[in-house]
Amino acid sequence: NAGVTQTPKFQVLKTGQSMTLQCAQDMNHNSMYWYRQDPGMGLRLIYYSASEGTTDKGEVPNGYNVSRLNKREFSLRLESAAPSQTSVYFCASSEALSTGELFFGEGSRLTVL
Amino acid sequence: AQSVSQHNHHVILSEAASLELGCNYSYGGTVNLFWYVQYPGQHLQLLLKYFSGDPLVKGIKGFEAEFIKSKFSFNLRKPSVQWSDTAEYFCAVITTSGTYKYIFGTGTRLKVLA
């Protein structure tokens, strides 16, 4: 009963490097999300996918791209990492956009030097 | 723009004290409201939610919240906190009309002293 699984859990990058955060859910949820969590700023939505085949920008999409690979998987890519992207990233899923209750992964701590 | 405000950033209480964490949102339309909790080193999990009906909702671990529409508030309460309630608490709002938005507050760190 894994729920939402994110990899990697920790990553250190140099400025300008690229990387992809992977997320998979096994709850047959339609909607998936990527958030970043920064001290004093709570969680901010980067991108979301209402259903397989669709993606939309959230509050802070600049510097990121996403792919909804299939119903289970939703990846987040940093093409050219910047120190401002140092954060904890959370993937989440929900049955549908309107139901609201989010199920979160354990988070990925990214440091950009 | 829609926003969620949690005015208490840090709260320190002794065990058995009562807790009330404030949450206010700015949005004139229909909303769904949530409280999430993040225990140290863990991911966020749902504490309780309000969609409609009785404005006083009960969640897990003895928590409850009251939706007051006229005040745009959804405050979290617990009559008697325990050391294990030490965590960060996030209020969240979904706007259900118009453009979809799922907005979190900045969080309140609660420390309960044994």
Side-chain angles (χ1 to χ4, degrees):
Chain A
N1 190 17
V4 179
T5 304
Q6 292 179 232
T7 57
K9 289 189 170 37
F10 300 93
Q11 183 75 47
V12 178
L13 291 176
K14 294 181 180 178
T15 298
Q17 287 185 318
S18 62
M19 76 158 298
T20 300
L21 297 175
Q22 307 284 358
C23 175
Q25 52 91 8
D26 62 3
M27 296 174 283
N28 201 34
H29 284 169
N30 289 299
S31 302
M32 297 185 74
Y33 314 78
W34 277 105
Y35 284 88
R36 58 178 290 174
Q37 184 182 25
D38 302 291
M41 304 191 75
L43 279 85
R44 292 180 292 169
L45 183 62
I46 304 170
Y47 272 94
Y48 66 97
S49 170
S51 60
E52 185 179 355
T54 70
T55 60
D56 284 285
K57 294 178 180 179
E59 185 182 355
V60 288
N62 292 344
Y64 304 95
N65 286 303
V66 291
S67 295
R68 183 75 183 266
L69 304 171
N70 48 54
K71 191 172 185 179
R72 290 187 63 249
E73 298 173 288
F74 188 41
S75 63
L76 178 72
R77 182 161 178 84
L78 287 69
E79 291 291 351
S80 178
S84 61
Q85 294 177 304
T86 294
S87 187
V88 180
Y89 292 85
F90 286 97
C91 178
S93 70
S94 64
E95 287 185 7
L97 216 55
S98 60
T99 58
E101 180 178 350
L102 299 182
F103 294 81
F104 285 87
E106 294 189 352
S108 299
R109 185 174 292 275
L110 174 66
T111 301
V112 183
L113 302 176
Chain B
Q2 297 93 335
S3 64
V4 176
S5 298
Q6 292 182 243
H7 305 294
N8 311 104
H9 299 296
H10 292 91
V11 174
I12 300 175
L13 295 173
S14 297
E15 275 195 315
S18 63
L19 170 72
E20 181 160 2
L21 301 182
C23 173
N24 288 89
Y25 65 93
S26 62
Y27 182 69
T30 304
V31 294
N32 293 341
L33 299 155
F34 305 82
W35 277 97
Y36 286 86
V37 60
Q38 185 178 28
Y39 297 104
Q42 297 187 26
H43 60 281
L44 281 83
Q45 55 188 288
L46 184 70
L47 202 52
L48 48 79
K49 60 186 177 184
Y50 172 79
F51 284 3
S52 63
D54 188 344
L56 183 62
V57 293
K58 296 190 183 300
I60 60 173
K61 303 185 179 184
F63 286 91
E64 63 179 32
E66 184 175 14
F67 171 50
I68 303 179
K69 190 175 181 180
S70 61
K71 295 185 177 181
F72 298 91
S73 70
F74 189 56
N75 292 352
L76 181 71
R77 300 195 293 249
K78 186 171 184 178
S80 176
V81 296
Q82 300 173 311
W83 178 81
S84 58
D85 293 326
T86 294
E88 190 161 15
Y89 294 81
F90 293 91
C91 182
V93 166
I94 294 181
T95 58
T96 59
S97 51
T99 304
Y100 170 82
K101 287 187 182 297
Y102 203 134
I103 307 165
F104 281 81
T106 54
T108 297
R109 286 189 183 273
L110 171 65
K111 184 169 185 177
V112 180
L113 304 175

